[in-house]
Amino acid sequence: MNDQLIDLVSLEENTLAEVTKIIGGSKIRARLESLGIYEGVKIKKISKSLLKGPVIVEVKSCKVAIGYGMAKKILVKKSND
Amino acid sequence: MIKKILLFGNPNVGKSVIFTRLTGTTVIISNYPGTTVEYHKGEMELDNEKVEVIDVPGIYSLREPTNLAEKVAREMLDKAKEEGSFIVVNVVDATNLERNLNLTLQLIRERIPLIIVLNLWDEARHLGIEIDYKKLSQILNLPIFPTCAITGEGIKDLKENLNKAKMSDFQFKEEERWQEIGKIIREVQRISHRHHTFLERVEDFTIKPITGLISAIIILSLTFILIRLIGENLINHIFDPIFNNLYLPNIIKLIEKIKSPLIFEILIGKEIEPLKSFGILNTGLYIPFVIVLPYLFAFYLILSILEDIGYLARLATIFDGVIHRLGIHGYSLIPIILGFGCKVPAILATRILERKRERILTALLILLSSPCLPQTTIVIALLAPYGIKYLFLIFFLLIFLSLVSTFLLNKISRGEAPEIFIEIPPYRLPYFLMVFRKLLFRIKLFIKEAVPLIIGGVFFFGILDILKIIDLLNKFTGPIFQKLLSLPKEIVPIMITGFLRKDVSIALLAPFNLTPKQLVISSIFLILYLPCLSTTLILLKEFKFIDTLKIIIFQLILGFLVSLVLNAFLI
């Protein structure tokens, strides 16, 4: 059950997860990577999206706001720890 | 020998403060050729030689530039590499070493002489982050200087050692860059366990959807009250008295000596009171310096403080959900908010947006969503006696119209809305010297770019007035207003004044004994029908002529349509 992939929008608040897949080309990957979001990185979701607004995550102890459409393209796996 | 120093670093790491500490007073702000990206350039003395210092726009990554700032930074670096004799000072945020090292490693890969500044050193220690910078220096094989730019600690050491910059021989695999950074972090950084600080609680509160929205509304309301308070007091107690009591009487005395009525009319105007006619040394200076500048000062002061605290990124995030649907992202909110005060700096501020499409959509929202602050004041004064419902009608109608127009324009124009993707910086106390420097730069920009345009525009209208072209216009358009909108034909000359200064035009409605309905219609009409002279000129400067024309025609049509509909249906 825990191995299921969900997108970042569906992830519950205050949970840790690992980014497992980024759907999209090199441009979106480069953009995400510049702020430390890449396949394999651990993140924590800080706040959920309201009215299709951005999702906020903590990655490498920084908070980052990710637009709704972009967050939909980031697939994560919940971490147990 | 070093001829050029480039400052590289992530946004919000105190790079500009380091820049200021290195260069001192002779700083030039300029746009990178062909872009709206601003950067600062200055000079410092190194071994008795003058060295150019460039504050490169803050970026997170050099590889595959994904935005304008990154493109500009990339080009600046390539140019320096071509010319040679340069060093790069990489400013790193010690409170955020892991994310910052990403850029550092990319710079190392460029094979350039580097020096690392570990800024916010004291804050990192305060937060319980311990960095063994000597070990980091060994690993990266680069000189590292811990600094606290705001107090100036460590700056002297840095200045004396700039010539120790060197090329690093640190090796890593590009595709394992983040893993490599993780390894370094485990070796040099220790974070002691700590409790959540009060500031962090405030951070959470102001960014979560519901509480964030509530706090945003409170902060914005306070901002407006404060700006109005500062702006109005500056005008009434300082700028207007200086202009009317000191400047105007003396300049009139001087010009009367020429004894030429034509020159007097061009320079001072038909009437002596400012804003009643078109004199370049009278109205032409009164508009930019007495009406616009005080509000601009107040706006930029508050805005710079909010920016330096780190609030603007939160504001953009909170409202992104709503305004994303209009084809623009959260950052457009900043110019729109500026527009509540005055449209001129608001249009200038759309420069922070990268694409032309976003800029035009934002400009439309700026122009339609609200009257400017002086106008708002007059509308409230005129209509408040008849009850608050008329005021609500006007302001909600404007917001509704602006949202619908932008929404539709977004649907019919090609391209898509960019996604927001920004770092939410931690709250920090603003460094007041930097706030004032920024304020000064922005005001200088306004004086340099907008003031000549306004004076030129006033001159143009003065000539039209002298040639009686304006009178002719009044005669022809008067009946249209009488018939279509049931407004007195005397409103036409007011429209012309309105082009100069819109709040005055609305105030001039007072003597006509209009009914509340007529007041609502003429207020809405005067708010919408055209941007004011200064705004039009700024639009022309920032956008292509054809785009400005489209915006103006759109406003004119919208103004007429809305007034017609109101005239037909409002009881």
Side-chain angles (χ1 to χ4, degrees), chain B residues 343-379:
Chain B
K343 310 294 171 192
V344 175
I347 300 289
L348 282 175
T350 60
R351 286 184 182 180
I352 59 170
L353 305 170
E354 287 188 5
R355 305 182 203 181
K356 187 191 137 198
R357 185 177 187 274
E358 282 173 88
R359 289 190 75 197
I360 290 186
L361 287 171
T362 307
L364 199 67
L365 257 183
I366 291 170
L367 295 172
L368 300 180
S369 62
S370 68
C372 58
L373 207 56
Q375 249 182 329
T376 307
T377 320
I378 305 281
V379 170

Coordinates of all heavy atoms in Angstrom, one line a residue, chain B residues 343-379:
Chain B
K343 N -0.7 54.2 -11.2 CA -0.5 53.3 -12.3 C 0.9 53.4 -12.9 O 1.4 52.4 -13.5 CB -1.5 53.5 -13.4 CG -2.9 53.6 -12.9 CD -3.4 52.3 -12.4 CE -4.8 52.5 -11.7 NZ -5.2 51.3 -10.9
V344 N 1.6 54.5 -12.7 CA 2.9 54.7 -13.3 C 3.9 53.7 -12.8 O 4.5 52.9 -13.6 CB 3.4 56.2 -13.2 CG1 4.8 56.3 -13.8 CG2 2.4 57.1 -14.0
P345 N 4.2 53.7 -11.5 CA 5.2 52.7 -11.0 C 4.7 51.3 -11.2 O 5.5 50.4 -11.3 CB 5.3 53.1 -9.5 CG 4.1 53.8 -9.2 CD 3.7 54.6 -10.4
A346 N 3.4 51.1 -11.2 CA 2.8 49.8 -11.4 C 3.2 49.2 -12.7 O 3.7 48.1 -12.9 CB 1.3 49.8 -11.2
I347 N 3.0 50.0 -13.8 CA 3.4 49.6 -15.1 C 4.9 49.3 -15.2 O 5.4 48.4 -15.8 CB 3.0 50.6 -16.2 CG1 1.4 50.8 -16.1 CG2 3.4 50.2 -17.6 CD1 0.6 49.7 -16.6
L348 N 5.7 50.2 -14.6 CA 7.1 50.0 -14.6 C 7.5 48.7 -13.9 O 8.4 48.0 -14.3 CB 7.8 51.2 -13.8 CG 8.0 52.5 -14.6 CD1 8.6 53.5 -13.7 CD2 8.9 52.3 -15.8
A349 N 6.7 48.4 -12.8 CA 7.0 47.2 -12.1 C 6.7 45.9 -12.8 O 7.1 44.8 -12.4 CB 6.3 47.2 -10.7
T350 N 5.9 46.0 -13.9 CA 5.6 44.7 -14.6 C 6.9 44.2 -15.3 O 6.9 43.1 -15.8 CB 4.6 44.9 -15.8 OG1 5.1 45.9 -16.7 CG2 3.3 45.4 -15.3
R351 N 8.0 45.0 -15.2 CA 9.3 44.5 -15.7 C 9.7 43.2 -15.0 O 10.6 42.5 -15.5 CB 10.3 45.5 -15.5 CG 10.2 46.7 -16.4 CD 11.3 47.6 -16.2 NE 11.2 48.8 -17.1 CZ 12.1 49.8 -17.1 NH1 13.1 49.7 -16.3 NH2 11.9 50.8 -18.0
I352 N 9.3 43.0 -13.8 CA 9.7 41.7 -13.1 C 9.1 40.5 -13.8 O 9.6 39.4 -13.5 CB 9.3 41.7 -11.6 CG1 7.8 41.8 -11.4 CG2 10.0 42.8 -10.8 CD1 7.3 41.6 -10.0
L353 N 8.1 40.7 -14.6 CA 7.6 39.5 -15.3 C 8.3 39.3 -16.6 O 8.8 40.2 -17.2 CB 6.1 39.8 -15.7 CG 5.3 40.2 -14.4 CD1 3.9 40.7 -14.8 CD2 5.2 39.0 -13.5
E354 N 8.5 38.0 -17.0 CA 9.4 37.7 -18.1 C 8.8 37.8 -19.4 O 9.4 38.2 -20.4 CB 10.0 36.3 -17.8 CG 11.0 36.4 -16.7 CD 11.7 35.1 -16.6 OE1 11.5 34.2 -17.5 OE2 12.5 34.9 -15.6
R355 N 7.5 37.4 -19.5 CA 7.0 37.3 -20.9 C 6.1 38.5 -21.2 O 5.4 39.0 -20.3 CB 6.2 36.0 -21.0 CG 7.0 34.8 -20.6 CD 6.1 33.6 -20.9 NE 6.6 32.5 -20.0 CZ 6.1 31.3 -20.0 NH1 5.1 31.0 -20.7 NH2 6.7 30.4 -19.2
K356 N 6.1 38.8 -22.4 CA 5.3 40.0 -22.9 C 3.8 39.7 -22.6 O 3.1 40.6 -22.2 CB 5.5 40.1 -24.4 CG 4.9 41.4 -25.0 CD 4.9 41.4 -26.5 CE 3.6 41.8 -27.0 NZ 3.4 41.5 -28.4
R357 N 3.4 38.5 -22.8 CA 2.0 38.1 -22.6 C 1.6 38.4 -21.2 O 0.5 39.0 -20.9 CB 1.8 36.6 -22.9 CG 0.4 36.1 -22.9 CD 0.4 34.7 -23.3 NE -0.9 34.2 -23.5 CZ -1.6 33.7 -22.5 NH1 -1.1 33.7 -21.3 NH2 -2.9 33.3 -22.6
E358 N 2.4 37.9 -20.2 CA 2.1 38.2 -18.8 C 2.0 39.7 -18.5 O 1.2 40.2 -17.8 CB 3.2 37.6 -18.0 CG 3.2 36.2 -17.7 CD 4.5 35.8 -17.0 OE1 4.5 35.9 -15.7 OE2 5.5 35.6 -17.6
R359 N 3.0 40.4 -19.1 CA 3.1 41.8 -18.8 C 1.8 42.6 -19.3 O 1.3 43.4 -18.6 CB 4.3 42.4 -19.5 CG 5.6 42.0 -18.9 CD 6.8 42.8 -19.4 NE 6.8 44.1 -18.9 CZ 7.5 45.1 -19.4 NH1 8.2 45.0 -20.5 NH2 7.5 46.3 -18.8
I360 N 1.3 42.2 -20.5 CA 0.2 42.9 -21.0 C -1.1 42.6 -20.2 O -1.9 43.4 -19.8 CB 0.0 42.7 -22.5 CG1 1.1 43.4 -23.2 CG2 -1.4 43.1 -23.0 CD1 1.1 43.3 -24.7
L361 N -1.2 41.3 -19.9 CA -2.4 40.9 -19.1 C -2.4 41.6 -17.7 O -3.4 42.0 -17.2 CB -2.4 39.3 -18.9 CG -2.8 38.5 -20.1 CD1 -2.5 37.0 -19.8 CD2 -4.2 38.7 -20.5
T362 N -1.2 41.6 -17.1 CA -1.0 42.3 -15.8 C -1.3 43.8 -16.0 O -2.0 44.4 -15.1 CB 0.4 42.1 -15.3 OG1 0.7 40.7 -15.3 CG2 0.5 42.6 -13.9
A363 N -0.8 44.4 -17.0 CA -1.1 45.8 -17.2 C -2.6 46.1 -17.3 O -3.1 47.1 -16.7 CB -0.4 46.3 -18.5
L364 N -3.3 45.2 -18.0 CA -4.7 45.4 -18.1 C -5.4 45.3 -16.7 O -6.3 46.1 -16.4 CB -5.3 44.3 -19.0 CG -6.7 44.6 -19.6 CD1 -6.6 45.7 -20.6 CD2 -7.2 43.3 -20.3
L365 N -5.0 44.3 -16.0 CA -5.5 44.2 -14.6 C -5.2 45.4 -13.8 O -6.0 45.9 -13.0 CB -4.9 43.0 -13.9 CG -5.7 41.7 -13.8 CD1 -5.0 40.6 -13.0 CD2 -7.0 42.0 -13.1
I366 N -4.0 45.9 -13.9 CA -3.6 47.1 -13.2 C -4.5 48.3 -13.5 O -5.0 49.0 -12.7 CB -2.1 47.5 -13.5 CG1 -1.2 46.5 -13.0 CG2 -1.8 48.9 -13.0 CD1 0.3 46.7 -13.5
L367 N -4.8 48.5 -14.8 CA -5.5 49.6 -15.3 C -7.0 49.5 -14.9 O -7.7 50.5 -14.7 CB -5.4 49.8 -16.8 CG -3.9 50.2 -17.2 CD1 -3.8 50.1 -18.7 CD2 -3.5 51.5 -16.7
L368 N -7.6 48.3 -14.9 CA -9.0 48.2 -14.8 C -9.4 47.9 -13.4 O -10.5 48.2 -13.0 CB -9.5 47.1 -15.7 CG -9.3 47.3 -17.2 CD1 -9.9 46.1 -17.9 CD2 -9.9 48.6 -17.7
S369 N -8.6 47.3 -12.6 CA -9.1 46.7 -11.3 C -9.4 47.8 -10.2 O -10.1 47.6 -9.3 CB -8.1 45.7 -10.8 OG -6.9 46.3 -10.5
S370 N -8.7 48.9 -10.4 CA -8.9 49.9 -9.3 C -8.6 51.3 -9.8 O -7.8 51.4 -10.8 CB -8.0 49.6 -8.1 OG -6.7 49.9 -8.5
P371 N -9.2 52.3 -9.3 CA -8.8 53.7 -9.6 C -7.5 53.9 -8.8 O -7.1 53.1 -8.0 CB -9.9 54.6 -8.9 CG -10.8 53.7 -8.2 CD -10.3 52.3 -8.3
C372 N -6.7 54.9 -9.1 CA -5.5 55.2 -8.4 C -5.9 55.8 -7.0 O -7.1 56.2 -6.8 CB -4.5 56.1 -9.1 SG -5.2 57.7 -9.6
L373 N -5.0 55.8 -6.1 CA -5.4 56.2 -4.7 C -6.0 57.6 -4.6 O -7.0 57.7 -3.9 CB -4.1 56.1 -3.8 CG -4.4 55.8 -2.4 CD1 -5.2 54.6 -2.2 CD2 -3.1 55.7 -1.6
P374 N -5.4 58.6 -5.3 CA -6.1 59.9 -5.2 C -7.5 59.9 -5.7 O -8.4 60.5 -5.1 CB -5.2 60.8 -6.1 CG -3.9 60.1 -6.2 CD -4.2 58.7 -6.0
Q375 N -7.8 59.1 -6.8 CA -9.1 59.0 -7.3 C -10.0 58.3 -6.4 O -11.2 58.8 -6.2 CB -9.0 58.1 -8.6 CG -9.3 58.8 -9.9 CD -9.2 57.8 -11.0 OE1 -8.4 56.8 -11.0 NE2 -9.9 58.0 -12.0
T376 N -9.6 57.2 -5.8 CA -10.4 56.5 -4.8 C -10.8 57.5 -3.7 O -12.0 57.5 -3.3 CB -9.5 55.4 -4.1 OG1 -9.0 54.6 -5.2 CG2 -10.4 54.5 -3.2
T377 N -9.9 58.3 -3.2 CA -10.3 59.2 -2.1 C -11.4 60.2 -2.6 O -12.4 60.4 -1.8 CB -9.0 60.1 -1.8 OG1 -7.9 59.3 -1.9 CG2 -9.1 60.8 -0.5
I378 N -11.3 60.7 -3.8 CA -12.4 61.6 -4.2 C -13.7 60.9 -4.4 O -14.8 61.4 -4.1 CB -11.9 62.3 -5.6 CG1 -10.6 63.0 -5.4 CG2 -13.0 63.3 -6.0 CD1 -10.6 64.3 -4.8
V379 N -13.6 59.7 -5.0 CA -14.9 59.0 -5.3 C -15.6 58.7 -3.9 O -16.8 58.9 -3.8 CB -14.6 57.6 -6.0 CG1 -15.8 56.8 -6.0 CG2 -14.1 57.9 -7.4

